[in-house]
Amino acid sequence: MATAAATCWFTALTSATGPSRYSLTSQRFFATTLRRHSHLIAPNSETNQNAETHAAINPNRKSRTSKKPLPSSPRKSSAQKEAIGQRFPGTSKDEVHFSRADARSSKTVRSQRNQPVAFKSFGLQKKGNKGGNNVFDIKEQQVETGNFQDAAFLNAVVKVYCTHTAPDYSLPWQKQRQYTSTGSAFMIGDGKLLTNAHCVEHDTQVKVKRRGDDTKYVAKVLARGIECDMALLSVESTEFWEGAEPLHFGRLPRLQDPVTVVGYPLGGDTISVTKGVVSRIEVTSYAHGSSDLLGIQIDAAINPGNSGGPAFNDQGECVGVAFQVFRSDEVENIGYVIPTTVVSHFLEDYERNGKYTGFPCLGVLLQKLENPALRACLGVPSNEGVLVRRVEPTSDASNVLKEGDVIVSFDGIRVGCEGTVPFRSTERIAFRYLISQKMLCFRFAGDVAELGIVRAGSFTKLKAVLNPRVHLVPYHIEGGQPSYLIVAGLVFTPLSDPLIEEECEDQIGLKLLTKARYSLAKFKGEQIVILSQVLANEVNIGYEDMSNEQKQLQVLKLNGTRIKNIHHLAYLVDSCKDKYLVFEFEDNYLAVLEREAACSASARILKDYGIPAERSPDLSESYVDSLGVNHPVEQHEFGDGPVSNSEFGFEGLLWV
């Protein structure tokens, strides 16, 4: 029986990937919201380089301890691969079908692990070898059903051509092989276009072409909203905008409202139109950003290349942006569009701050209170409220909320015992929807919310500042290029979700996967720093197999000082005056280097392996310790203890 997985398909796939974030062999660590059997599907596609690609499930990955220079490895960025199970690991073994990116062959691999649930973020069609609420108003256009082919507003939908050069997270000093892709975008006025963030991820060049035109124009990426999967583009050419009429945003549609998706998907070079209806509106998992935001489910066909294209209502108003699809043997015709409420939040955020700052969150782990005895025990008199199980140390809520509090209202809106709040007239929606949107207004970082809570049987009101969540293990790397530090051939880098996807779980190890999945950051800037690999040299003899035989190891201390992040480690190495550099790793592994010998060997190691520098550029900047350089940090202050196995909505638990 096949497992239902929402498959995430970032366009321009160069290969299919295996289990993504934390699909551990031990099912008890991971809860899944969608519990069915699935097939994970990757499209047939071809890079303009005709590069050979690799399947992501590669348990026999070879170590990189050769003394030869390390070649550029054409691995997969998140825009090239299925974003499998960023939050929803699956529950059973199943066949996973992988299609080679060069479209020359495909193969079926029998997975030996639980396959994750994933969304397929559709959009970029792989090329083969052949602002704000003020939405830049235009005159309303009345369109009769069936006459979309003659509608002038279709001319506002353009085709996006992107050249991507993604980082190599395993060899962080270099880039992966260049590849190209196509997607869709649309005009919103003021010289700007909207598309999906995954359409222009790791871009080195973006070009756009209007309908019926044979000229491509260079576009610039102004802002990316990773968690909401939106990107804002600009085109400076005045010729591109001649005669252009930007689109007008419509209201949030209702169930069964007709919807038409327009874009440039697979199957041809001209514009494509598919029709359907609104099937569901609820808080949805956004595969690219690994976030939960309001989403619209439709039954109109969404295919690779549709990403970034608009969805229209019958009045010719844009009611959303196509971005992902749910694929399974058990379901069909389930596509998703980003509603205009989320799009407008992205635009207004950019107008306010000149960049995208993100959606705020409360930073608490909640449990539903559907059991009457549980409510009575907590002193909750009515059939409402959700229990605070844990508060993130980096959130402002940690200053006002305590474990065991019951949240019964949020800005005056009553919270049901099943974790929902009223939505429109006859519907209910997940409580976390209120965090990002207050009635008809939007919430931004720094906004204040009023919480009604029951504590020890007494009702009280508190205020908390809402801010974006701080991730101990980031889903995306700010700035694109990962940090790294090489000390006598020992390569250190922060643990990140792209690195986990690239290395696969066998190389990362169960312990690090568990930390990545469950641990919380205790302070802003905290990172899990790992020994990524050892570049074999006589100065590190005996350690060359440490990161390979023992999988990736977290480095905990240097000369007795607890390591806070990769920049802190670089600072400790630079400021060390001792004879030895003593690295302490998890499970009591130890590596000792003579400091002067390590320094003198660095240049030779870099030359032997063809590495341009011993550290990433960001580590050359002055180190500023947010906790204070001399601040004593105890072992328990760091996020190395697992949370419950049910963080994201399983068995009544959810983060908001």
Side-chain angles (χ1 to χ4, degrees):
M1 186 175 187
T3 301
T7 44
C8 187
W9 197 346
F10 297 148
T11 43
L13 297 174
T14 57
S15 74
T17 77
S20 172
R21 191 168 194 174
Y22 333 132
S23 57
L24 299 184
T25 55
S26 179
Q27 178 179 326
R28 66 188 178 90
F29 286 106
F30 301 104
T32 172
T33 299
L34 303 171
R35 306 180 206 100
R36 297 190 183 103
H37 299 281
S38 71
H39 285 85
L40 308 178
I41 306 168
N44 287 336
S45 55
E46 187 171 3
T47 64
N48 61 335
Q49 303 289 339
N50 270 335
E52 180 180 357
T53 57
H54 308 280
I57 297 181
N58 184 9
N60 297 319
R61 182 184 179 94
K62 296 181 179 179
S63 65
R64 299 188 186 88
T65 56
S66 169
K67 294 185 178 181
K68 297 179 181 179
L70 294 169
S72 174
S73 59
R75 292 184 189 83
K76 305 155 285 296
S77 75
S78 60
Q80 294 172 275
K81 60 178 78 173
E82 293 180 6
I84 302 174
Q86 300 252 352
R87 287 212 189 166
F88 306 104
T91 57
S92 69
K93 299 176 182 178
D94 195 22
E95 285 189 353
V96 184
H97 298 281
F98 296 97
S99 299
R100 291 185 63 89
D102 56 12
R104 289 175 291 186
S105 64
S106 62
K107 58 185 177 180
T108 300
V109 179
R110 172 70 64 176
S111 171
Q112 298 302 318
R113 298 172 183 83
N114 299 329
Q115 293 306 326
V117 173
F119 275 98
K120 219 165 196 197
S121 178
F122 260 149
L124 293 126
Q125 169 187 338
K126 193 60 177 280
K127 290 189 67 177
N129 286 344
K130 322 183 8 202
N133 284 331
N134 53 335
V135 207
F136 315 103
D137 293 337
I138 63 170
K139 179 172 60 178
E140 288 194 12
Q141 304 174 37
Q142 300 297 326
V143 181
E144 295 182 6
T145 303
N147 290 336
F148 272 81
Q149 66 272 20
D150 300 322
F153 60 79
L154 292 186
N155 294 328
V157 184
V158 303
K159 191 169 185 177
V160 178
Y161 300 81
C162 186
T163 302
H164 311 257
T165 308
D168 189 324
Y169 296 95
S170 297
L171 307 176
W173 48 85
Q174 64 187 27
K175 296 276 191 177
Q176 296 183 30
R177 186 170 305 201
Q178 176 178 291
Y179 65 98
T180 59
S181 67
T182 65
S184 305
F186 59 95
M187 303 175 181
I188 59 173
D190 196 27
K192 296 182 177 64
L193 300 163
L194 271 179
T195 187
N196 285 143
H198 71 260
C199 291
V200 292
E201 185 179 31
H202 306 307
D203 67 286
T204 51
Q205 184 183 69
V206 180
K207 295 180 290 186
V208 293
K209 186 175 73 171
R210 290 184 59 176
R211 180 189 182 195
D213 198 352
D214 61 353
T215 304
K216 297 176 184 176
Y217 299 87
V218 175
K220 178 183 178 182
V221 179
L222 298 178
R224 290 184 184 86
I226 300 298
E227 62 183 338
C228 62
D229 201 3
M230 294 301 305
L232 186 65
L233 312 180
S234 68
V235 179
E236 296 182 356
S237 173
T238 56
E239 182 181 354
F240 174 80
W241 296 102
E242 289 181 0
E245 294 188 23
L247 298 184
H248 175 67
F249 285 167
R251 62 170 176 81
L252 187 69
R254 295 187 176 273
L255 297 182
Q256 300 186 57
D257 279 0
V259 64
T260 301
V261 176
V262 179
Y264 292 87
L266 281 171
D269 295 326
T270 59
I271 200 166
S272 169
V273 177
T274 58
K275 295 182 66 65
V277 297
V278 174
S279 306
R280 180 183 292 149
I281 300 176
E282 65 180 1
V283 174
T284 303
S285 174
Y286 281 46
H288 181 61
S290 300
S291 56
D292 295 324
L293 299 170
L294 193 66
I296 303 174
Q297 178 186 321
I298 63 174
D299 66 354
I302 296 178
N303 293 299
N306 270 127
S307 276
F312 295 101
N313 59 19
D314 275 353
Q315 286 69 50
E317 299 170 326
C318 175
V319 295
V321 182
F323 76 115
Q324 67 186 23
V325 70
F326 184 94
R327 284 291 173 94
S328 168
D329 289 343
E330 298 179 355
V331 299
E332 58 184 19
N333 299 334
I334 297 182
Y336 292 91
V337 299
I338 302 170
T340 52
T341 52
V342 175
V343 175
S344 296
H345 183 284
F346 167 73
L347 292 173
E348 186 171 337
D349 193 359
Y350 174 76
E351 291 295 324
R352 282 187 174 199
N353 304 295
K355 62 179 182 179
Y356 176 74
T357 61
F359 284 81
C361 76
L362 187 57
V364 294
L365 176 64
L366 302 176
Q367 178 180 344
K368 300 176 183 179
L369 293 183
E370 297 179 286
N371 185 277
L374 178 58
R375 292 196 301 271
C377 179
L378 294 170
V380 181
S382 57
N383 185 22
E384 62 185 4
V386 284
L387 174 65
V388 176
R389 292 191 59 253
R390 189 165 183 180
V391 184
E392 290 189 354
T394 55
S395 69
D396 182 74
S398 64
N399 299 320
V400 295
L401 289 176
K402 299 179 180 179
E403 295 178 5
D405 288 346
V406 177
I407 300 175
V408 295
S409 68
F410 190 91
D411 276 342
I413 300 175
R414 310 302 292 183
V415 179
C417 64
E418 79 283 16
T420 62
V421 294
F423 178 63
R424 300 201 286 203
S425 58
T426 59
E427 302 171 73
R428 295 188 70 84
I429 199 167
F431 164 51
R432 54 190 179 275
Y433 169 72
L434 289 181
I435 307 297
S436 60
Q437 182 169 336
K438 177 183 178 182
M439 302 303 289
L440 298 178
C441 303
F442 301 113
R443 296 188 190 276
F444 297 91
D447 287 356
V448 178
E450 183 182 76
L451 306 175
I453 70 166
V454 173
R455 177 179 294 171
S458 300
F459 176 80
T460 186
K461 289 186 177 181
L462 305 171
K463 291 187 177 181
V465 179
L466 305 177
N467 285 301
R469 189 179 179 192
V470 176
H471 293 281
L472 178 62
V473 177
Y475 290 100
H476 293 267
I477 303 296
E478 293 294 334
Q481 199 67 22
S483 302
Y484 73 91
L485 174 68
I486 303 176
V487 181
L490 277 64
V491 181
F492 299 98
T493 189
L495 186 65
S496 65
D497 187 67
L499 177 61
I500 292 173
E501 292 182 0
E502 196 166 282
E503 290 285 356
C504 85
E505 67 177 57
D506 284 340
Q507 186 70 13
I508 295 295
L510 182 64
K511 180 172 289 188
L512 277 181
L513 286 175
T514 305
K515 286 185 179 181
R517 175 63 174 84
Y518 298 118
S519 297
L520 301 177
K522 299 300 181 181
F523 54 87
K524 292 182 180 179
E526 183 184 4
Q527 294 175 327
I528 296 177
V529 182
I530 65 171
L531 177 64
S532 175
Q533 57 184 298
V534 178
L535 308 176
N537 184 273
E538 60 184 17
V539 73
N540 57 45
I541 190 168
Y543 304 139
E544 56 268 17
D545 294 327
M546 179 180 290
S547 65
N548 302 302
E549 293 181 356
Q550 306 299 332
K551 305 186 186 299
Q552 310 286 15
L553 291 174
Q554 180 183 1
V555 56
L556 302 176
K557 296 180 181 180
L558 174 62
N559 288 7
T561 301
R562 184 80 179 188
I563 295 168
K564 303 168 187 175
N565 50 49
I566 186 72
H567 209 155
H568 184 220
L569 175 60
Y571 167 79
L572 293 176
V573 171
D574 294 341
S575 58
C576 179
K577 304 300 182 184
D578 298 338
K579 181 178 180 180
Y580 296 105
L581 295 171
V582 182
F583 296 92
E584 298 178 47
F585 299 90
E586 61 182 343
D587 295 331
N588 297 321
Y589 283 99
L590 199 67
V592 179
L593 300 171
E594 188 176 351
R595 182 174 59 83
E596 292 184 359
C599 292
S600 61
S602 293
R604 183 171 65 256
I605 293 174
L606 296 180
K607 181 179 179 181
D608 289 346
Y609 288 88
I611 301 174
E614 67 177 2
R615 65 185 65 191
S616 53
D618 59 310
L619 300 187
S620 298
E621 301 173 0
S622 299
Y623 173 65
V624 178
D625 190 348
S626 60
L627 298 180
V629 173
N630 297 318
H631 177 76
V633 181
E634 300 298 333
Q635 175 99 10
H636 66 270
E637 291 188 46
F638 287 79
D640 49 11
V643 185
S644 161
N645 62 343
S646 310
E647 288 172 310
F648 297 102
F650 181 66
E651 293 300 328
L653 307 178
L654 64 157
W655 277 109
V656 294

